[in-house]
Amino acid sequence: MQQRKRKRKGGLIHYPVLILFSLFFVGMFLLDCVTPDRTVSELENTTLTQRPAVTAQILSSAGLNRFFNDYTQYTKDQIPGRDVWISLQSFVETALLQKTQSGGVLLGDHGQMFDRTYGLVSSEERTLPRNIAAVGALAGRYPGRVYVMVAPAASAIYPERVPAHAPLLEEEGYIRQIQAAVEEAGGVYIPLQDALAAHKDEYIYYRTDHHWTTLGAYYAYSRLCETLGLVPFDREAHTAVEVPDFYGTFYSRARTWNAQPDTLTYYELDNPLTIYTVTGPGMPTQGEATGLYDLDKLAVYDKYAAFLHGNNGFSRVEGDGEGRILVVKDSYANSLVPFLTANYAQIDVVDLRNYNYGLDALIAENGYDQILVLYSFDSFKSDPYLYRAGIEG
């Protein structure tokens, strides 16, 4: 009997890997028991799955299957040290395996990240023509007052930084279609490709985020001023504030171990901003007055949300100039709108993702001098709500 025990004990010693794995999983289980669940991952900019509730519905086969699927996702999202494991995976893939993409993000030269967009997906093949028709219809209803700018992706400005042989979507042909539709309807299309490419040696696109920088937005704004005959915002007359350690949306997906953080810049301006509660078409009646920037956002992960307090349905900025302008936009416009305070007394901002009505009643009530439609091409081709700009009435 003793000899059999000695053999069994000696046998376990000969399986150190099994012992280590057992200790590892036991340790992870104990750590999971004492680690509180997180609701969001700031580094990934995503909501994490919470522990699924045990209800009577799981007694059915479909309910039980759904419960186990939810619980599997919950264990993945709430694993202790999640951020460390994701960074380790990224290190292995990019540093050891020399991959040039991670999380749907292309990893280019000079630390530049690009969205991996090889072509229009099926939903965009339907949405893009509809959105082109919408801006054309808007320009047709207000001839001579509608101006359209579509910001190219960073890959169109820095093709030499894109990983070799990456078959990225060719934007120029689609942008020409947008331009043709706007101009045929009586609107003005303002091309940005050359205006931005002329400054490509400057810091005009974030490395880790899909937006242009404040400087890139300024050069687009300057092109708008040139078209409208306006005197541009004087950057030298205002204080620029730099906020370091900005990691954007691309980083939240790629999580590369050696990402170079970006620097976000904003100009100190005391122009008031009112965020309205939208309950129907036309001019809202209730709103909350605040500052132009949400400075609390500068202390969290999503620093870009500081501009205009994010993507509100309808906001109004009181400017220092004359006249009124309506900006129909995606988030690219958030860092550009502050410059318009130098030119207009009233800047109304509509984000159709959170404004569920057409624009005609709003335009009729406010009598805008100009209507600016400003989107990135990526949003323009995919936004399922831009069609609202084309709704008459």
Side-chain angles (χ1 to χ4, degrees):
M1 181 67 70
Q2 291 180 350
Q3 185 178 2
R4 190 178 303 158
K5 289 183 178 179
R6 283 196 297 269
K7 286 183 178 180
R8 188 179 301 165
K9 183 177 180 182
L12 290 175
I13 295 175
H14 287 89
Y15 297 97
V17 175
L18 177 60
I19 295 173
L20 289 175
F21 267 99
S22 299
L23 292 174
F24 172 78
F25 285 115
V26 169
M28 291 296 293
F29 172 76
L30 295 175
L31 188 59
D32 182 56
C33 291
V34 299
T35 302
D37 291 347
R38 297 189 298 167
T39 55
V40 297
S41 171
E42 284 200 350
L43 287 176
E44 296 171 86
N45 197 24
T46 187
T47 301
L48 299 178
T49 304
Q50 301 301 295
R51 185 189 299 273
V54 178
T55 64
Q57 294 178 346
I58 68 172
L59 296 177
S60 66
S61 58
L64 187 62
N65 184 60
R66 187 181 307 111
F67 175 82
F68 279 120
N69 288 337
D70 292 344
Y71 199 88
T72 299
Q73 186 60 50
Y74 161 74
T75 57
K76 290 179 180 179
D77 283 4
Q78 300 295 342
I79 184 172
R82 175 184 173 89
D83 295 338
V84 176
W85 292 115
I86 294 175
S87 296
L88 179 60
Q89 177 187 1
S90 175
F91 174 78
V92 171
E93 291 180 347
T94 58
L96 301 183
L97 302 180
Q98 296 295 302
K99 287 189 175 182
T100 57
Q101 58 180 294
S102 179
V105 174
L106 297 175
L107 309 176
D109 294 337
H110 303 283
Q112 193 83 45
M113 299 181 182
F114 305 94
D115 202 3
R116 189 184 65 186
T117 306
Y118 294 159
L120 297 180
V121 299
S122 58
S123 61
E124 293 170 343
E125 291 175 348
R126 299 186 298 271
T127 301
L128 178 57
R130 184 173 63 178
N131 289 348
I132 293 175
V135 294
L138 181 66
R141 294 202 305 278
Y142 303 98
R145 281 202 280 168
V146 176
Y147 296 78
V148 178
M149 298 198 301
V150 178
S155 57
I157 305 299
Y158 300 105
E160 70 281 0
R161 297 184 183 181
V162 177
H165 312 300
L168 286 181
L169 172 69
E170 176 58 55
E171 297 182 1
E172 291 185 8
Y174 296 110
I175 290 179
R176 284 195 294 270
Q177 293 179 31
I178 300 171
Q179 180 174 359
V182 170
E183 293 177 346
E184 288 174 7
V188 179
Y189 184 84
I190 303 176
L192 296 178
Q193 177 77 26
D194 292 343
L196 292 170
H199 299 277
K200 65 183 301 180
D201 292 334
E202 301 174 51
Y203 185 40
I204 60 173
Y205 279 85
Y206 293 115
R207 291 181 295 270
T208 69
D209 192 71
H210 67 286
H211 293 103
W212 53 23
T213 65
T214 303
L215 182 60
Y218 178 80
Y219 287 130
Y221 157 78
S222 297
R223 184 71 180 83
L224 173 66
C225 288
E226 181 182 338
T227 301
L228 295 176
L230 302 174
V231 177
F233 178 94
D234 185 0
R235 292 182 293 161
E236 300 299 325
H238 297 84
T239 301
V241 180
E242 294 186 348
V243 183
D245 298 326
F246 170 43
Y247 291 91
T249 53
F250 287 155
Y251 175 76
S252 68
R253 291 159 54 189
R255 289 301 308 278
T256 51
W257 62 279
N258 59 345
Q260 304 175 42
D262 282 296
T263 298
L264 181 146
T265 301
Y266 70 95
Y267 288 89
E268 289 187 346
L269 300 171
D270 57 5
N271 300 82
L273 166 73
T274 301
I275 301 172
Y276 284 90
T277 301
V278 180
T279 58
M283 187 66 207
T285 57
Q286 295 182 343
E288 178 183 354
T290 183
L292 196 55
Y293 309 105
D294 184 354
L295 299 181
D296 290 339
K297 289 293 192 301
L298 299 176
V300 301
Y301 177 80
D302 188 13
K303 291 178 171 55
Y304 192 84
F307 293 107
L308 304 189
H309 294 249
N311 300 313
N312 302 291
F314 182 79
S315 305
R316 171 170 290 172
V317 179
E318 296 179 26
D320 305 314
E322 298 178 354
R324 300 173 176 178
I325 187 171
L326 172 65
V327 181
V328 183
K329 59 84 179 179
D330 71 356
S331 56
Y332 260 61
N334 293 9
S335 56
L336 183 146
V337 166
F339 296 126
L340 293 172
T341 58
N343 309 108
Y344 293 91
Q346 178 182 313
I347 306 112
D348 285 357
V349 184
V350 165
D351 192 310
L352 291 170
R353 291 169 293 185
N354 297 299
Y355 186 91
N356 303 325
Y357 309 95
L359 299 173
D360 285 354
L362 186 67
I363 294 171
E365 290 184 45
N366 288 280
Y368 301 109
D369 300 289
Q370 284 89 31
I371 302 166
L372 172 64
V373 179
L374 173 54
Y375 276 72
S376 66
F377 177 72
D378 183 63
S379 290
F380 193 99
K381 67 181 174 60
S382 60
D383 186 352
Y385 306 108
L386 181 53
Y387 78 92
R388 292 169 178 162
I391 296 176
E392 185 173 359

